[in-house]
């Protein structure tokens, strides 16, 4: 073995990129500032404050709409290569449609992008991080196939306005959450409950919307702007709970029907949904007396249009689950969960976080990266989110421990397994509006004082820790001991 080392520790490759991420609704505030339109999270939090754990909302959040210069100073201090943030669709196109462009929204993102570049930080921009303009929800939201075209219009305007300076574009953040949490489980805005039906309709529109944005970039902007376009999919690692064949098959089914649902149409050689997904949902639909599969099909042309529509694979990963086979009776209510038919559990020995779903399982990341490598022919992967939840302590040793574990697993995946990972992004730059959990869970490298009108930001131990990793490209074994505030 011969690798570049630091002391006797492995190092990340020279051109490896480190960044941090945020999302518009979670940090910006300025929810109705100069011309911004209403989006589905404004609507949800205003209409149903009790649907958010602490009855709070994103009206002000971290006030990055005004404090963006401070954000850039923090990024500069961390020495990140890039900053991943998202555009608020309603800030740029208040009605959701391209009939009117809000100059103030354009100014806001121009200022931010220019300030980043002035400080040597690359902008990595997500077009859609869950804040759909409310008027597009009024016509049904993502299950309405026409949204693919309206998304393309929006993407085109974003490329046109910012593409001279933005070279990395992510079309969607976490399609599984957009469609499952939004249209199946009632967990995220617009909180619909149409599992096994609305989620699959949403998914079809979303995949076509992604491909439209990719192709319009390819055709009109890539020749001049020379950037990259990808999508960010979130995935757990599904570890078979036992060595029984039925559990091993169940874990693979879980991977194919949650990650593969999105990744197979785009990243596989053959395109389209995974075979197992089409078969199971087709057969179940028949048994349930539907006239056709609840999973809407693509035409041959659509399959080819979506297949290969990527320059990179954006991956969000936080945690792992133990998966076993579950038999669900055919006459049980229709749901995506029934289609997959697995039982998901977490090992009580895994270290917890403040979020029930987030346990510390670093080896899961390494296995997941190897699965993607094998399944999709080792595409360039950008890890676009990974991070830890606590209650906001400044000496955030849980976060240090998490980052150390996951970054070590990543280092091994890259150097020992040959996984083609080009970038790592920590969620999040600072504490922010954690959706239905409000401000009760914190993911930030910086603490934000949400009771102070100035929304003061304070560096946590993890900020110092991450900065040192970025600057040395290595994870020193005893680094935690050095860093106490
Ligand atoms: C990301 O989603 C989001 O992109 C980001 O905006 C968010 O702030 C960050 O994570 C931290 O949560 O309660 O067991 O049903 C992460 C993926 C998937 C995590 C759904 C929470 C709920 C699991 N999310 N999951 S459960």
């Amino acid at each position: 073995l011969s690798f570049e080392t630091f002391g006797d520790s492995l190092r990340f490759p020279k051109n490896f990129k480190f960044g941090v991420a945020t999302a518009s609704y979670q940090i910006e505030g300025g929810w109705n500032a100069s011309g911004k339109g209403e989006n589905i999270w404004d609507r949800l939090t205003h209409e149903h404050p009790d649907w958010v754990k602490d009855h709070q909302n994103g009206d002000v959040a971290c006030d990055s709409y005004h404090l963006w210069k401070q954000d850039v100073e923090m990024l500069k201090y961390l020495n990140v290569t890039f900053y991943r943030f998202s555009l608020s669709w309603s800030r740029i196109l208040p009605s959701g449609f391209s009939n009117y462009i809000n100059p103030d929204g354009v100014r806001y993102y121009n200022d931010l992008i220019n300030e980043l570049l002035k400080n040597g930080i690359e902008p990595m921009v997500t077009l859609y991080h869950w804040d759909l303009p409310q008027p597009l929800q009024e016509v049904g939201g993502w299950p309405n196939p026409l949204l693919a075209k309206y998304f393309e219009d929006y993407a085109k305007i974003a490329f046109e306005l910012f593409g001279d300076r933005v070279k990395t574009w992510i079309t969607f953040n976490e399609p599984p959450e957009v469609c499952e949490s939004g249209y199946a489980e009632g967990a995220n805005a617009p909180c619909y409950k149409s599992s096994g039906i609305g989620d699959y309709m949403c998914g079809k529109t979303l995949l076509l919307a992604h491909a439209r944005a990719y192709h319009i970039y390819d055709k009109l902007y890539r020749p001049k702007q020379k950037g990259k376009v990808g999508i960010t999919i979130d995935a757990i690692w599904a570890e078979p709970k036992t060595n029984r064949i039925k559990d091993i098959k169940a874990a693979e089914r879980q991977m194919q029907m949650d990650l593969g649902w999105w990744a197979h149409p785009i990243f596989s050689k053959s395109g389209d949904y995974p075979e197992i997904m089409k078969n199971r949902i087709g057969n179940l639909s028949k048994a349930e007396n539907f006239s056709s599969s609840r999973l809407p099909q693509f035409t041959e042309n659509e399959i080819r249009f979506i297949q290969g529509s990527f320059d990179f694979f954006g991956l969000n990963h936080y945690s792992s689950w133990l998966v076993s086979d579950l038999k669900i009776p055919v006459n049980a209510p229709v749901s995506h969960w029934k289609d997959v038919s697995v039982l998901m559990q977490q090992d009580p020995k895994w270290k917890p976080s403040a979020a029930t779903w987030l346990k510390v399982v670093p080896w899961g990341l390494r296995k997941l990266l190897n699965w993607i490598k094998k399944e999709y022919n080792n595409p360039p992967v950008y890890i676009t989110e990974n991070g830890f939840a606590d209650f906001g302590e400044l000496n955030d040793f849980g976060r240090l421990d998490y980052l150390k574990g996951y970054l070590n697993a990543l280092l091994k995946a890259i150097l020992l397994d040959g996984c083609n990972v080009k970038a790592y992004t920590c969620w999040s730059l600072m504490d922010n509006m954690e959706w239905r959990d409000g401000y009760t869970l914190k993911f930030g490298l910086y603490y934000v004082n949400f009771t102070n009108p100035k929304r003061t930001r304070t560096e946590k131990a993890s900020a110092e820790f991450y900065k040192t990793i970025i600057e040395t490209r290595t994870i020193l074994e005893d680094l935690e001991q050095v860093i106490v505030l």
Side-chain angles (χ1 to χ4, degrees), residues 318-339:
Y318 287 87
S319 199
S320 292
W321 293 80
L322 298 175
V323 173
S324 39
D325 185 49
L326 185 67
K327 291 273 170 286
I328 300 179
V330 185
N331 62 358
V334 165
S335 74
H336 173 63
W337 176 71
K338 177 184 166 191
D339 293 337

Side-chain angles (χ1 to χ4, degrees), residues 117-410:
L117 292 174
K118 207 170 90 193
N119 285 281
I121 301 161
E122 294 171 21
M124 178 187 277
V125 173
T126 310
L127 289 168
Y128 186 79
H129 200 126
W130 306 358
D131 42 1
L132 187 72
Q134 184 63 32
L136 294 174
Q137 188 54 55
E138 300 297 330
V139 295
W142 291 109
N144 180 342
L146 294 175
L147 258 70
K149 166 72 166 64
Y150 296 124
F151 179 76
E152 178 188 339
D153 290 349
Y154 159 56
K156 196 164 169 272
I157 286 169
F159 298 150
E160 189 92 47
L161 289 169
F162 311 119
D164 56 335
R165 289 151 293 152
V166 173
K167 302 302 166 190
T168 311
W169 295 96
I170 294 163
T171 53
F172 285 91
N173 179 67
E174 303 190 343
E177 301 319 308
V178 176
C179 295
E180 276 305 309
S181 303
Y183 296 89
E185 289 159 5
N188 281 349
C191 291
Y192 285 4
K193 294 185 181 165
S194 173
S195 189
I197 297 177
D199 41 6
Y200 298 144
M201 292 183 183
C202 168
K204 183 177 179 187
T205 315
L206 196 149
L207 282 162
L208 286 166
H210 158 79
R212 274 173 173 264
Y214 179 86
H215 287 292
I216 201 77
Y217 187 83
D218 222 32
K219 203 167 120 201
L220 300 183
Y221 303 99
R222 188 192 297 282
K224 244 183 114 178
Q225 299 183 351
K226 300 187 166 52
K228 290 182 162 43
V229 180
I231 186 168
T232 280
I233 307 174
D234 60 309
I236 58 156
W237 170 248
E239 178 71 12
K241 189 179 176 188
T242 71
N243 66 14
R244 291 196 192 99
I245 299 298
K246 63 176 185 159
D247 290 342
I248 292 167
K249 283 189 174 161
E252 177 64 14
R253 186 162 74 240
Q254 161 66 35
M255 292 302 292
Q256 292 292 354
M257 292 184 72
D258 272 337
L259 172 53
W261 173 1
W262 312 97
H264 199 276
I266 300 173
F267 298 95
S268 74
K269 277 233 163 61
S270 48
D272 202 0
Y273 295 119
E275 224 37 60
I276 188 171
M277 183 164 183
K278 288 190 288 183
N279 289 339
R280 284 185 76 90
I281 302 172
N283 292 338
L284 261 175
S285 302
K286 209 173 275 163
E288 292 156 347
N289 212 22
F290 283 84
S291 64
S292 58
S293 178
R294 289 180 277 101
L295 183 68
Q297 289 169 22
F298 291 118
T299 64
E300 260 321 304
N301 280 339
E302 287 173 334
I303 291 172
R304 266 177 297 174
F305 187 66
I306 296 169
Q307 196 276 331
S309 61
F310 71 93
D311 299 316
F312 61 87
F313 189 128
L315 176 69
N316 287 359
H317 174 73
Y318 287 87
S319 199
S320 292
W321 293 80
L322 298 175
V323 173
S324 39
D325 185 49
L326 185 67
K327 291 273 170 286
I328 300 179
V330 185
N331 62 358
V334 165
S335 74
H336 173 63
W337 176 71
K338 177 184 166 191
D339 293 337
V340 186
S341 287
V342 300
L343 179 67
M344 314 248 300
Q345 295 164 303
Q346 288 183 313
D347 189 329
K349 288 194 288 290
W350 293 344
K351 270 191 219 158
S353 77
T356 49
W357 52 272
L358 204 170
K359 304 287 191 290
V360 186
V361 196
W363 53 263
L365 172 62
R366 186 172 175 189
K367 288 203 172 192
L368 172 61
L369 290 169
N370 276 281
W371 192 88
I372 291 170
K373 175 187 174 199
K374 169 176 107 286
E375 198 68 21
Y376 307 117
N377 196 26
N378 211 10
V381 172
Y382 299 176
I383 295 177
T384 44
E385 281 182 35
N386 173 247
F388 180 80
D390 60 18
F391 297 112
E393 42 275 29
L394 289 183
N395 276 313
D396 51 345
F397 294 119
R399 181 163 295 104
L400 260 59
D401 181 59
Y402 181 97
L403 290 177
K404 183 177 175 181
Y406 278 75
L407 283 164
N408 266 320
L410 171 59

Side-chain angles (χ1 to χ4, degrees), residues 22-27 39-42 44-45 49 51-58 86 128-132 173-174 177 187-189 318 357 385 427 432-441 443:
T22 61
S24 45
Y25 184 74
Q26 295 181 271
I27 67 160
N39 66 44
I40 56 176
W41 278 93
D42 297 323
L44 177 143
T45 57
W51 289 9
V52 178
K53 207 174 245 167
D54 54 5
H55 298 199
Q56 299 292 311
N57 57 47
S86 79
Y128 186 79
H129 200 126
W130 306 358
D131 42 1
L132 187 72
N173 179 67
E174 303 190 343
E177 301 319 308
N188 281 349
Y318 287 87
W357 52 272
E385 281 182 35
W427 182 271
N432 56 48
M433 202 301 179
E434 179 56 21
W435 309 109
R436 294 283 296 278
D437 284 314
Y439 299 89
T440 62
L441 293 181
F443 281 86

